[in-house]
Amino acid sequence: MDLKFHQLLRELGIYNLINIMAHYAFLDKNNIVTEVIVGKNEGEENINWEQHYGNFRGQICKRTSYNTYGGVHQLGGTPFRKNYAGIGYTYDLQRDAFIPKKPYNSWILNETTCNWEAPVAYPTDGQIYSWNEKNQNWTLQTI
């Protein structure tokens, strides 16, 4: 989310409501995210909410942070598990991270951010490109 959007939320008086909501991801037997819900903050009412929601559903449940991307909390808060969980993401227990689906076979996992990166850097000339897996390079998009 960009700065202007955050300013608008503050002006509307709903910024703090969004920031205090906790999110939880449910995992299937292969550690694939099947659902993400809004829930209570960890420690609220002296309850371990990951465990509580997991027991209720009979699934493993892990907290995730809406504002976390690449191991950085975009608002300066505590990042959870490298990336906000999305349906289809994999939870990696060893890295304690949510990892998105691999977009192309040639892309490489960045161990720091737990995001996939192209083997060739995205051009920085201000143009719009898409990845061409066959050529293993970026292709300029034309209108």
Side-chain angles (χ1 to χ4, degrees):
M1 289 186 272
D2 67 7
L3 185 57
K4 288 182 183 180
F5 182 72
H6 288 287
Q7 289 171 330
L8 176 62
L9 292 177
R10 281 188 185 98
E11 289 171 13
L12 294 173
I14 59 175
Y15 185 78
N16 288 334
L17 292 175
I18 291 172
N19 266 345
I20 61 172
M21 297 185 323
H23 293 81
Y24 296 87
F26 290 100
L27 311 175
D28 69 11
K29 63 182 177 178
N30 297 312
N31 285 335
I32 305 298
V33 176
T34 60
E35 185 178 6
V36 179
I37 65 164
V38 176
K40 299 229 180 197
N41 285 318
E42 281 296 309
E44 193 172 320
E45 300 176 29
N46 293 320
I47 294 174
N48 178 330
W49 292 104
E50 280 184 357
Q51 185 177 9
H52 175 80
Y53 294 132
N55 289 343
F56 183 78
R57 283 274 183 90
Q59 286 181 278
I60 294 173
C61 179
K62 296 288 181 183
R63 184 162 179 193
T64 186
S65 171
Y66 181 77
N67 295 303
T68 298
Y69 179 78
V72 176
H73 192 282
Q74 304 303 305
L75 303 175
T78 302
F80 284 96
R81 302 190 166 98
K82 300 288 185 179
N83 296 295
Y84 178 68
I87 294 174
Y89 280 39
T90 300
Y91 173 71
D92 185 304
L93 180 64
Q94 293 170 327
R95 293 179 180 97
D96 191 28
F98 289 109
I99 300 173
K101 293 179 189 177
K102 188 173 185 177
Y104 300 98
N105 286 334
S106 64
W107 286 34
I108 303 157
L109 184 66
N110 178 317
E111 293 289 336
T112 302
T113 65
C114 287
N115 284 309
W116 298 100
E117 296 178 353
V120 176
Y122 189 86
T124 59
D125 60 5
Q127 301 291 325
I128 297 174
Y129 293 84
S130 62
W131 180 252
N132 182 321
E133 182 67 5
K134 182 179 176 184
N135 297 333
Q136 302 247 330
N137 213 333
W138 295 101
T139 300
L140 179 64
Q141 294 300 294
T142 56
I143 298 175

